[in-house]
Structures are given as C-alpha cells and as structure tokens.
Amino acid sequence: MLASFVLRALMDATALFPRSDGDKFLSFPYEERWECLKHVITSFYLGPNGKNGKRPTIEEVASFMKDKHAFSAQIHQYRHRLRKWDIRKRTLTSEKDGIVSALGKRSSSHATTSDITLDHGKQVDKKQLKRYLKDQARHAQPEPLTPGALLLWNLPYAAYSKAYGARLDEPSPFDTTGATPTYVNIQSPEAHTPGRQTQGPTPTTELINQKLAQDRSNFLLQGRHLELLKSCAKEQRVLLTNYLHDFYINTYVTAKFWGRGPKEWTPGMISVLTLEPFVSPGPSPRGITPGPSPTGFHDAALTDTPTQLCRWSIHVRHENYEPIPDKPHEEEDGLFDISNLSSWKEWNTNDPALSMVQCIEKSLSRGAFSNTPPESLPISLPSISKSLQQHPDQLCVDAVRAAIMTGNRDLVVGILDEACDNHEVVDQIIATYPFHLAAAFLDGGNTCCSMVAALCYAIGPPSSLRSYRDNLGNTVLDAFMVSILRSHSSVAPDHVNSHFDPPHRFPGEDKDICGRWDATSPVLRNHFRKGYARIPSTWKHALCHTAVQAICHSIIAIYGSPISPEINIISGLFIRHCTNCGLKLELGPLHALVVVAFYLAHQGMQGETLFGPLAILVCLLSLGTEPSLVAAISIKDILDRAEPGQCHHQPMTAAELMEAVPSPIIARWTHECQRGWHCILHALRLREIDGREKEPTVGGGMAQADPSDQNHGETGSYTDQKIYNSDFESDGEDFCYLEGSIGLRVHDEYLCLPRGTPILSILWATIQAELLTYRRIEIDQPWISSNFSMVALTAWLEGKAEAFDTPLLTEGLIKPHSECCGWFLTPRFDAPIAEEVCQRQNFVFAIGKTNLTFEPSTLTGAVEGDTLELRFYSRNHSVVQGDLDIRRTPPCTPPTEGIFTSGFFSGFNFPTPPGSVNLGSHRRVLLPERAGSHCKNGMIAVINGQSPAAANQYLANYKAAAAALANGTSVSPASVFGGGIFPLNETSTSTASSSAGNTFKLTVTVTRTSSASSSASTTTIGTSTRTTTTTTSATATSTAGANSFGASFIRLAAAGAAALILV
C-alpha cells in the first residue's frame, strides 16, 4: 500500500517537472514568476506529493520549487501567497455541501467522491468528508411541516414542468438553482473501469445519499418544491413528482368521498375511479342531493372533451323528518363496486375510524398510495414520518385544505369543530387563506356557496387583512374574479397577476366552477398526463348562470354578514407600473370587475353576453360596494400598449374606466357583449346618482304595493305568507318593506346594507329570479332565458322605454320584493330559494332518456299552481299516480281515486287539454303504467318527499318493495285523466327535431300539512348555514332551457313515448 502511494506521488510530481528553462520563467521579474508558477505551486501543495503519499508541507513545497524550478522564496512568502490565492488543504463546510449536492444531481447513482476534484486539482479528503457526513446524520432533525406544503403536487411531471415553462438559456425550469459549483469538477463515471458500478455504492456514497434524502425531505416539508426538484437529477425529478402527485390524488379522493365507500384507497382502486371512463357526482354534504345530468354528461369521460352543459345547484330549505330505516344489507360488509357509487355504503358511525389527519399521516408515512417502491425515492419517508409525528397539528391544515378543494363541506366543519379549542391550529388554517382557496375551487355545479358559508360559520368571515389579502396580494373578491377569467376566458394568467405560482397557471385549474370536472375526472387526468398544464379553451364556455349564482351567493355569504370585511379595498389584480414615472397603478373592486367584463367580451368564449358581470355588479352594489371610488388607471398600461416616455394614467371611477375603452375595440365585440357592456355602464351610473332621486317608472307588472294588500297576486299574498310584522314601526320615506317583513333593521343597524334605487332594486330582483330558475339543458339553447330580456333592459336603462318590459315582470312571474333594495321578502332574503322568488314553477321529468329511468327520480317543493311536465323519450309506456304508503296500497298499484294517468303512449297525437293533479298531504311516487315489469325494475320517482334526503329514502325502500313482487306488472286506469298532451308546434333546431313529440303537462294542487310547511317559516335570518340541493337539468331536447316558471313550458322534440305513474 505504501509503495503504491509513493509511486503515485512520484508520478504526480514528475508531471510538474519543467521540460525546459522556458517552463521556469527565469527571464520574468520575481513578482511575475509567482503568478506564472502558481499552477505548479498549488498543484504540488494540494497533491499527494509529500512523504508516504500525503500532502506536502510548505517546507517541502519550497524545497521542490527551489530544486526543480530554481525559484527561491521564504516560508512566510508561500503562506502569504497561498492565503491570497485562497488555497488551503482543509475543505470548508460549504464545499462539502457543494460536493454532496453535485453528486446528488448525477444521473448515475454510483458516482463517488473519487470522481470529484476541486479547484487546482485538489483532491477530496474522504476521511474528513466521511466524518462530516456521520456528524450530520447523527444530529439530523426533520423540519416541521409548513401548513399546506403537501398539497402542491396537483400535476404529474409531464404537466408540472410545462406549468413553469422554458426559461431563457436554461435546459429546463429546474436546472438553475443549486447548479454544480464552479470549484467542483466531476469526472464522468463512464470513464472508469468497466464493472466498477456493479460493486454498489461505497460507505461514503451511502452517507451522501442519506444526507441528500434528509435535505430533500426538509425541502418537501417546508414547501420549497422548486428547490426540491432542482436538487434532483432528471430521473429523480420525474419519479418524485409523479409519486407526490399520486399522494395528492389519494388525498383528494379520500377527502372527496369521506364518510362513504372505502376507508383506505389503493392505487388500483383510484385508477379504476379516476382513469377509467367513469363520472362521479361531487360530495353530498347535508342537504345536498345529486340530480340527473344534462344531455351527454355521462359520456364525457369517453371523449377527450367534457360536455359544454353545466351541472347546477338548487337551494332548498331543510325540513325535519323522521328517517325511514334502511333495509338491512344482505351482502357481505365491505363488498362494493368501486365504479358504482350507488353500491357504496355510508360508514358506520359506531365503528372506530381514523380521522382525516391520521389518514394523511398514515398514507404519507407508508407510501401505500403509489406503486413506486419507497426505497427508490430521493427522499426519506422515515424522516417525513418523524416530522409528522412530532408535529401532528400541522397536518390539520392540509386536511382542511383537501376538504375545501374537494367541496366536502361536512368534512371541513367536522375538522374545524374538533380544532376549535386549539387556537394555534385555527390561526394556521386562517393563515393559509381558506377563503381564497374556496374561491379558487368554487363548485357551482355541486355545492354552490356551501363551502364559503361553512367557513363563515366555522371560523367567521375573513375580516382581518391578514386573511383577506393573500400572499399574492389578491383579496377574496379578487379570487372570485380569477375563477371567472380562468374558467370563461382565454386571458393569460401572468397578465392578471404576475405572482401566480406556477406563473403559467391559474389557481384551481383542476376544478371546473360548473361541476363538469375535478382532479379525479378521467378526462382531466388524461389531459394532464399528456403534458398539458392548462385547461384548453375548447373545454370552456361563456360565463353561465351556474358560475354566477355560486359567486353571487358566496359574495353574499362573506359580505352580507354583521361582521363582514370591508368590501371597498384595493384589488391585487391587473397591477401595472407607469412606464414613465413608475407610479403603481391599482384598481378598485369595481374597476377590477370592469376589466374582467372587458376580457370576457374581448377574449371570452362563444355566446358571451356579459349578463354575469352585470349580475355580480348589482350584487356588489347591493352589498355596499362604492362605485364612486377613484383610482389612477391607464387603459394602455392594462392592455400593455403604453408608449414609454409619457404618463397615460388618470384618476377614474369604474364607469369612467368603461367610457375610456376605445370604441373601435368595443365595435369588434358581438352585439350581445356590446349590449351587456352598456347595461353595466348604466348600472354604475345609476348607483352614482342620489338614490332618493325620482327615476322612470319601474312598470312591467312588478308589485310594489303595501304588503298588507290582501288582493295582491293570485297566489301567496304577503299576509298569507305571514312574513310581514305589523308591529315594526315605519320611518316614513326610509321605510323598507324588507325590514317590515322580518323585523330587523338591515339597512341601518344589523347588516348596514345600502338602500338602493327603484331601478336597481328591480334589476337585482329580476337577476336573482333569473339565476334561481334557469339553466341550459341543450347545447343550442340560449345562455339567458326568454323571461329576462337584455334588449328590454338596455332600452329601459337608456331611457328609451318607460318600463323593464321583460316576462319576469310583465307576466307576474316573480313574487314581491323590497322597492328599497331589491331583496325578496323572506326571512332568508340573503339566500332565497326558487319558490320564494317565483310565483309558480314548472317541474320537468324526463322519462326513458337514460335507460328506463325518471330524471330526476325525486322532487320536493311542489306547491299550488306549479306544473309537472312529463317528457317521453321512449315508446309504449304511460304514467299513473299511486300511493307511497305500501301498507295501504301494494307497490306498483295506483289508488282508485285522486289519481292522474297520462294514458298509453304509442305515439304523439293526443289533443287532450291540460288538467290538474292533487298531490295531497302525502308523498307520491311516479311509476310506469302498462309497462310490463318496468315498475318492478325500478322505474319509479317520488314527489314531495318532505326533503331530498327523505325522498331518497322513500324511493329506495319503495324500489326494494317493488323488486320483491312476484308479479311486477303495474295496474293502470283505462283512460287519460288529470292532464293533457301537448304537440310540438315549432320546429326545434336540435338534433332530435326530426321526430314529432309531445309533453304531458299537469297543474299541481297541493294540500300541505302544517308540519310540512312550517319549517321554512321558522328559519331565522343571520344563520350562516345555507342548505342546498344539487341537481342538474333534465335531458329533454328544447330551445327554451330549463325554467321554473310554468308560463314558459319547454317544448319537446322527442323520439318516442313513455309512461309515468304517480304513487
């Protein structure tokens, strides 16, 4: 061994011998010779050129240079020069870390310290490095988890790298930070002797890998995801990102379906659920029931593009009822079809189960959510597990965030209720901006505003600036604006806010605001796996009622509270700096909404009308947003068209900003967008004037009479509704019918809501009615119903018409509202339901559209004057009414009186006039008449089942009783009774227009029990809970859309006939 060292030293020293006198630089001045011989001096000093192969002393260096290079110098001169040149034998800690980092990014896992030299040929002292690594391992402690750090991995690597984009002169987004230090030189392992790598890593290399895994685990725990990826080799980045994405999907699925189905999700189960052609509805919090889907919704997973038709949420009042016990399951516990949600069981509340926090900790510690072997990862799972065990409260934040992103309201409330006494955890949750997250993952198609309302209930509105403005500078209101632009325009994220992370992606892109997809949808997962980080414009559509309703209701939940935050706060969107003077140009809240409306018109989707921004504007005005707020604004800077060298900004209100938009730009928009733009401008101008000034006649048949008027309307007078408080004292001209009806001073004391103008009040009331009662159910249907006319609104606001001549008003389709502010006269005026704003409703059942089913299968809330519309999509069926009480009347058998029947549909040629059906005080069910075994096979629907949950229970138990019949053939009356069949009078533009069609319509008469009708009236204002029911449109082909008003029957173009029976 000693001989080899000596031989190696001799060989190294020989290479430093001068080959001629010229190599000695004898003719150079003495000082210059130092620099000329620097390489020889440092190489000899740092090399194994001393005794026994060790590094030489300075005395040995001086002797070598004198003997071989005729260079004489004192020992202290050598020491001075070596310090000046920063040459030392000792390796600094920073250099050791640099060596470890450099080796960690090598593609070969077998690169060793033998492959590394430092500057000037300095060899790595392996013993010194090994001692350092052992000491580091002995004292290593994992960092505590940064709240929210674990849920950053919402994309697989193929899309994740695209989200950060290519950077100038960089091979990838992750190749800059932590690059190999200039003082470290690594020899390629391929240059070594073949077979060396098969020997495995050396002990030092194992210590290096251990430290690397520890450091990367700390990056992960601290949320430093870019540094984490940049510390890895390319193969490690891909492996780790996909592994952490698997964890994200596992956590998402667990939170989304918490409380039913599997308690632990395996990679195979998640693959079946999220990568197979399967579409699942969203979570069902209390008071939420999934409804049928628009045409083509169930086929979305089979294509590369989701349907253009939205899901939507319908608010209902919660009614107490006595649950019907479920029929005991005969199948073995734990057996279910993962792709069939109807087979999933609710968890037994008596069984001990892990909390969501414990599930996350267990999942991440064990790594069972992925097929990737943990030992192949460049991180240390034991280190991560140790951190989570040492700081268990930190995981509570991630659990809440997962529940918010999935829309699982009940899970959010449950976690926050458990953590309510731990103020530190609650503060950490608030510090991660939960309201901004809820706005980014808003799901109008399934849960509407229930998540925002739940957060207001659990932790209160974001009243402090610490939680109201996030780390990107955005307010909560900004977050809603971002969701609009993300889902309904093609504007680039960095144009809206340059601080988005990733910069090329909006927050919440993996969830559709209309409920068409989320992170678990196969169509989206396949899209991301192909390397796309953004949602393509072909998936988007115009700003729809589903999104607008969810945003308006969420805004009301936050700002319509006695402890609501200040609404007139500067926006963090579209911030620019003057190219001349450098002034920071910031927008007010309404300025930001105007810019959003501009981009919807300029870069929005086909069919955009700007009704959505108008609705949001009037909602904000109704909550006190100030239209006269002035901000320094430059149109050219916002559009990035400002010429350098001059200032373009000037103080503007939101209305002045609209007027400053160049007319040639507006002229390029569609007529619908131009009309909507002018309506927004007029609404802003109206609010700027004195609210008590006399305005044009509101007209249109809208009732503004004294609420004590006994003769108002045909149904539901104010006195009959028992919401007017005659003891409430009037303050003369400041009296508000809303305050009189609920007995609270909502304008001056309780909520301090502003008093509006008569015109804006009418506009707000009609907007609320439109949002609550209309959705598109076919691709060729308009985005706004025929009951709300933007043409008539424009004429009215421009003074060309004396009244808002729209069917909502002219045909008396909505109930009275306050002339002062536009809110409807109901105890829950801030969150009214459809039957509280419209005089009558039209309920639609699609029969045989999707197999032999009713869509929807349950209906609640049918009242006097409403209509039932039965649409037949298959032939040779009929409908009859029956009794839900199977103790009184056997299943699939109609009663002998009080029924209706549509008659047998073998074609569409029945001219029978409309009739009526008395639903009575009992729940009823629809059954197929004269349809063989269809009733036995479950072709049943329940009407007025007290509540959505009760109706579902009635339906399930009735189906079970019907299935048990030996003979499932239903009995029907002999003739048509109680309703009428209506032929199609117009040619539909839909694909089904070639077939003749009819709709069976009935007018509803209802006898309600006192217990069934009292619960809505006992609901008090001020509660933060909003009960909603989620449904989607029926799937009939129509040009009129789905509307709650009986005056606008949807004309059907169907391909056949079907039969229904009410039981």
Side-chain angles (χ1 to χ4, degrees):
M1 180 66 71
L2 179 60
S4 64
F5 277 125
V6 173
L7 179 61
R8 179 176 164 189
L10 290 174
M11 293 176 62
D12 291 341
T14 302
L16 299 174
F17 287 179
R19 289 168 296 186
S20 65
D21 288 344
D23 290 342
K24 298 179 182 181
F25 303 101
L26 295 174
S27 62
F28 283 66
Y30 183 75
E31 284 297 323
E32 292 185 16
R33 289 189 71 192
W34 277 104
E35 293 301 322
C36 294
L37 295 171
K38 176 181 177 180
H39 172 70
V40 178
I41 295 170
T42 57
S43 297
F44 187 85
Y45 177 68
L46 296 175
N49 301 306
K51 293 180 180 179
N52 302 324
K54 296 182 178 180
R55 291 177 180 174
T57 63
I58 294 181
E59 288 80 2
E60 290 174 323
V61 174
S63 175
F64 172 80
M65 294 301 297
K66 182 177 181 180
D67 294 341
K68 303 300 181 183
H69 288 268
F71 182 76
S72 298
Q74 300 296 319
I75 301 300
H76 73 274
Q77 290 179 296
Y78 277 105
R79 289 197 175 102
H80 170 73
R81 291 289 176 171
L82 291 172
R83 284 195 300 270
K84 182 179 179 180
W85 293 336
D86 193 26
I87 303 299
R88 53 197 146 61
K89 293 180 179 179
R90 182 174 61 88
T91 304
L92 299 178
T93 300
S94 60
E95 293 176 328
K96 297 171 187 174
D97 290 337
I99 293 169
V100 172
S101 175
L103 286 175
K105 292 189 294 181
R106 299 296 290 176
S107 298
S108 171
S109 61
H110 297 284
T112 69
T113 53
S114 299
D115 303 317
I116 292 182
T117 58
L118 303 179
D119 273 350
H120 315 294
K122 177 180 177 181
Q123 298 292 319
V124 176
D125 189 328
K126 296 181 182 180
K127 291 184 179 179
Q128 187 181 125
L129 180 61
K130 192 172 183 179
R131 286 195 302 269
Y132 169 74
L133 293 173
K134 286 183 176 180
D135 184 66
Q136 290 286 300
R138 187 164 50 251
H139 297 91
Q141 287 294 328
E143 296 287 343
L145 174 67
T146 298
L150 295 180
L151 297 177
L152 299 173
W153 307 91
N154 55 354
L155 293 172
Y157 184 81
Y160 196 90
S161 58
K162 297 288 181 62
Y164 284 91
R167 302 181 182 182
L168 189 63
D169 298 328
E170 297 176 16
S172 86
F174 311 116
D175 278 353
T176 52
T177 300
T180 301
T182 56
Y183 57 80
V184 176
N185 305 297
I186 304 180
Q187 182 182 5
S188 174
E190 288 74 16
H192 291 292
T193 305
R196 167 185 164 180
Q197 294 184 5
T198 62
Q199 300 174 4
T202 65
T204 304
T205 302
E206 290 182 345
L207 288 172
I208 290 175
N209 292 336
Q210 182 179 341
K211 184 178 188 305
L212 285 169
Q214 177 70 40
D215 292 344
R216 290 164 179 161
S217 298
N218 286 336
F219 285 150
L220 173 62
L221 291 167
Q222 293 172 324
R224 297 159 63 181
H225 53 289
L226 287 181
E227 293 174 76
L228 168 61
L229 295 179
K230 290 172 181 178
S231 70
C232 300
K234 173 65 179 295
E235 295 82 359
Q236 293 173 328
R237 288 199 295 266
V238 175
L239 183 71
L240 181 60
T241 303
N242 290 335
Y243 177 83
L244 294 174
H245 179 62
D246 288 342
F247 168 76
Y248 173 86
I249 293 296
N250 180 276
T251 305
Y252 196 102
V253 170
T254 301
K256 179 178 180 178
F257 298 109
W258 185 264
R260 55 181 173 145
K263 294 184 178 180
E264 292 188 24
W265 289 85
T266 66
M269 295 162 64
I270 291 179
S271 178
V272 170
L273 184 70
T274 66
L275 295 177
E276 298 294 331
F278 164 70
V279 175
S280 65
S284 298
R286 185 179 56 217
I288 303 284
T289 54
S293 304
T295 303
F297 190 89
H298 294 287
D299 298 328
L302 301 176
T303 67
D304 292 331
T305 303
T307 176
Q308 286 288 305
L309 295 172
C310 307
R311 302 180 68 93
W312 72 81
S313 303
I314 299 175
H315 287 258
V316 298
R317 295 284 177 246
H318 178 72
E319 298 189 18
N320 295 322
Y321 67 96
E322 181 180 351
I324 300 174
D326 290 330
K327 182 180 179 181
H329 292 282
E330 298 179 357
E331 61 268 22
E332 183 180 350
D333 289 340
L335 296 180
F336 52 85
D337 181 359
I338 195 65
S339 61
N340 180 12
L341 266 67
S342 63
S343 68
W344 295 13
K345 300 177 185 177
E346 300 287 336
W347 294 354
N348 190 334
T349 56
N350 297 323
D351 291 342
L354 296 176
S355 66
M356 182 64 192
V357 173
Q358 292 171 323
C359 279
I360 295 177
E361 190 277 329
K362 179 181 177 182
S363 174
L364 195 56
S365 299
R366 297 183 180 181
F369 54 83
S370 175
N371 291 322
T372 302
E375 60 273 11
S376 66
L377 296 171
I379 57 175
S380 171
L381 291 187
S383 177
I384 295 173
S385 179
K386 182 178 180 181
S387 174
L388 300 181
Q389 292 172 1
Q390 291 175 345
H391 310 280
D393 291 343
Q394 307 288 356
L395 271 180
C396 187
V397 179
D398 288 83
V400 170
R401 290 178 66 82
I404 291 174
M405 290 189 293
T406 60
N408 194 329
R409 173 191 178 277
D410 292 340
L411 180 57
V412 169
V413 173
I415 297 174
L416 291 175
D417 283 347
E418 292 180 2
C420 63
D421 295 331
N422 191 331
H423 300 295
E424 182 179 352
V425 172
V426 174
D427 287 343
Q428 288 177 344
I429 293 172
I430 294 175
T432 58
Y433 315 109
F435 286 93
H436 292 77
L437 186 67
F441 285 82
L442 191 65
D443 188 356
N446 290 296
T447 56
C448 193
C449 60
S450 64
M451 183 55 66
V452 172
L455 290 174
C456 289
Y457 167 79
I459 61 178
S463 54
S464 69
L465 287 177
R466 181 171 67 94
S467 60
Y468 186 72
R469 191 181 294 277
D470 66 9
N471 57 334
L472 302 179
N474 294 340
T475 66
V476 175
L477 189 58
D478 290 338
F480 290 113
M481 300 299 105
V482 169
S483 292
I484 293 174
L485 293 172
R486 178 197 76 213
S487 301
H488 304 288
S489 80
S490 60
V491 65
D494 54 359
H495 188 76
V496 179
N497 190 318
S498 60
H499 299 297
F500 284 139
D501 185 21
H504 303 291
R505 199 166 187 265
F506 283 114
E509 287 223 28
D510 45 345
K511 191 164 191 177
D512 179 43
I513 194 172
C514 306
R516 295 179 294 152
W517 68 77
D518 67 4
T520 64
S521 300
V523 66
L524 185 70
R525 292 206 67 192
N526 290 329
H527 180 73
F528 288 158
R529 292 170 78 187
K530 294 176 182 177
Y532 301 108
R534 294 287 316 280
I535 299 300
S537 296
T538 54
W539 289 22
K540 303 177 183 180
H541 56 54
L543 181 56
C544 58
H545 286 16
T546 294
V548 176
Q549 174 180 288
I551 290 172
C552 287
H553 287 185
S554 297
I555 289 174
I556 293 170
I558 295 173
Y559 298 101
S561 164
I563 55 173
S564 62
E566 172 58 45
I567 197 170
N568 294 299
I569 292 182
I570 293 298
S571 169
L573 303 180
F574 303 103
I575 292 179
R576 301 291 186 267
H577 290 82
C578 177
T579 57
N580 184 46
C581 68
L583 178 67
K584 187 177 183 180
L585 308 178
E586 299 175 294
L587 305 177
L590 293 185
H591 299 88
L593 177 60
V594 166
V595 177
V596 169
F598 171 87
Y599 279 111
L600 287 175
H602 200 63
Q603 293 180 239
M605 301 297 106
Q606 183 179 1
E608 181 59 57
T609 64
L610 296 190
F611 170 84
L614 173 65
I616 296 171
L617 168 66
V618 179
C619 176
L620 290 172
L621 294 176
S622 300
L623 294 170
T625 313
E626 181 53 61
S628 60
L629 184 67
V630 174
I633 300 173
S634 165
I635 291 288
K636 291 187 176 181
D637 281 290
I638 291 177
L639 299 178
D640 296 329
R641 298 178 181 178
E643 303 90 355
Q646 57 180 321
C647 296
H648 302 279
H649 52 82
Q650 55 183 324
M652 298 182 187
T653 64
E656 291 168 343
L657 173 60
M658 297 188 73
E659 293 171 337
V661 176
S663 55
I665 293 180
I666 298 177
R668 294 198 296 265
W669 300 346
T670 64
H671 294 300
E672 291 78 11
C673 285
Q674 293 183 46
R675 187 179 298 120
W677 183 260
H678 290 304
C679 287
I680 294 172
L681 176 59
H682 284 293
L684 282 169
R685 286 302 189 193
L686 278 173
R687 196 66 181 90
E688 287 179 355
I689 66 175
D690 183 7
R692 308 311 301 170
E693 182 179 338
K694 294 295 183 180
E695 297 179 357
T697 306
V698 295
M702 181 59 220
Q704 299 291 347
D706 190 316
S708 61
D709 184 359
Q710 298 284 339
N711 299 318
H712 170 72
E714 296 181 1
T715 61
S717 69
Y718 290 100
T719 305
D720 292 338
Q721 296 175 37
K722 299 181 179 179
I723 59 175
Y724 176 65
N725 185 350
S726 60
D727 296 330
F728 193 81
E729 296 182 0
S730 169
D731 291 333
E733 66 176 10
D734 290 331
F735 177 72
C736 173
Y737 287 148
L738 175 63
E739 293 182 332
S741 68
I742 64 176
L744 288 174
R745 295 188 181 277
V746 297
H747 295 297
D748 303 317
E749 297 176 2
Y750 181 58
L751 298 177
C752 295
L753 296 176
R755 299 175 186 272
T757 65
I759 288 182
L760 286 179
S761 298
I762 281 283
L763 184 54
W764 179 225
T766 52
I767 285 172
Q768 292 180 80
E770 170 71 8
L771 292 176
L772 288 170
T773 59
Y774 177 78
R775 293 296 185 275
R776 295 168 72 238
I777 59 174
E778 293 292 340
I779 294 296
D780 57 356
Q781 290 169 353
W783 291 98
I784 307 175
S785 79
S786 58
N787 292 317
F788 190 100
S789 172
M790 291 290 286
V791 175
L793 177 62
T794 304
W796 184 45
L797 294 178
E798 291 180 347
K800 298 177 181 178
E802 295 184 354
F804 183 15
D805 293 324
T806 192
L808 284 175
L809 303 177
T810 58
E811 298 181 13
L813 298 179
I814 63 175
K815 292 183 177 179
H817 63 82
S818 171
E819 183 180 355
C820 169
C821 52
W823 300 98
F824 284 92
L825 308 184
T826 173
R828 288 305 312 276
F829 70 92
D830 56 335
I833 60 178
E835 50 263 44
E836 293 170 350
V837 305
C838 57
Q839 294 284 22
R840 57 186 183 271
Q841 300 182 76
N842 183 45
F843 296 99
V844 180
F845 283 91
I847 305 158
K849 178 69 174 179
T850 305
N851 300 320
L852 296 179
T853 59
F854 288 94
E855 298 183 34
S857 58
T858 61
L859 167 67
T860 57
V863 297
E864 186 84 21
D866 293 343
T867 56
L868 302 181
E869 189 171 328
L870 314 178
R871 301 176 180 171
F872 299 90
Y873 286 85
S874 58
R875 297 181 182 276
N876 302 328
H877 297 289
S878 56
V879 183
V880 70
Q881 172 184 338
D883 193 345
L884 186 63
D885 191 344
I886 56 178
R887 296 169 298 182
R888 180 171 52 203
T889 306
C892 302
T893 304
T896 57
E897 59 182 1
I899 64 170
F900 82 84
T901 175
S902 66
F904 188 66
F905 274 65
S906 59
F908 294 128
N909 54 3
F910 299 95
T912 311
S916 64
V917 56
N918 191 332
L919 298 181
S921 60
H922 300 289
R923 275 69 63 191
R924 302 293 181 182
V925 67
L926 294 172
L927 299 172
E929 172 201 0
R930 291 203 298 169
S933 60
H934 293 157
C935 174
K936 177 181 172 67
N937 292 336
M939 195 170 179
I940 304 163
V942 171
I943 293 182
N944 276 10
Q946 287 185 325
S947 72
N952 287 332
Q953 279 199 334
Y954 284 124
L955 180 63
N957 290 330
Y958 196 97
K959 284 185 176 181
L965 292 175
N967 180 5
T969 303
S970 55
V971 180
S972 62
S975 61
V976 175
F977 172 79
I981 295 97
F982 290 76
L984 182 68
N985 295 322
E986 297 183 20
T987 302
S988 171
T989 59
S990 68
T991 56
S993 61
S994 59
S995 301
N998 289 276
T999 299
F1000 187 85
K1001 301 175 184 177
L1002 305 122
T1003 301
V1004 176
T1005 59
V1006 180
T1007 304
R1008 280 185 175 269
T1009 61
S1010 58
S1011 61
S1013 60
S1014 62
S1015 59
S1017 62
T1018 57
T1019 306
T1020 57
I1021 186 173
T1023 176
S1024 297
T1025 331
R1026 281 172 169 75
T1027 305
T1028 62
T1029 180
T1030 301
T1031 184
T1032 52
S1033 68
T1035 53
T1037 305
S1038 166
T1039 57
N1043 200 296
S1044 294
F1045 300 111
S1048 297
F1049 286 122
I1050 304 174
R1051 293 176 294 276
L1052 171 68
L1060 292 172
I1061 296 180
L1062 268 174
V1063 173

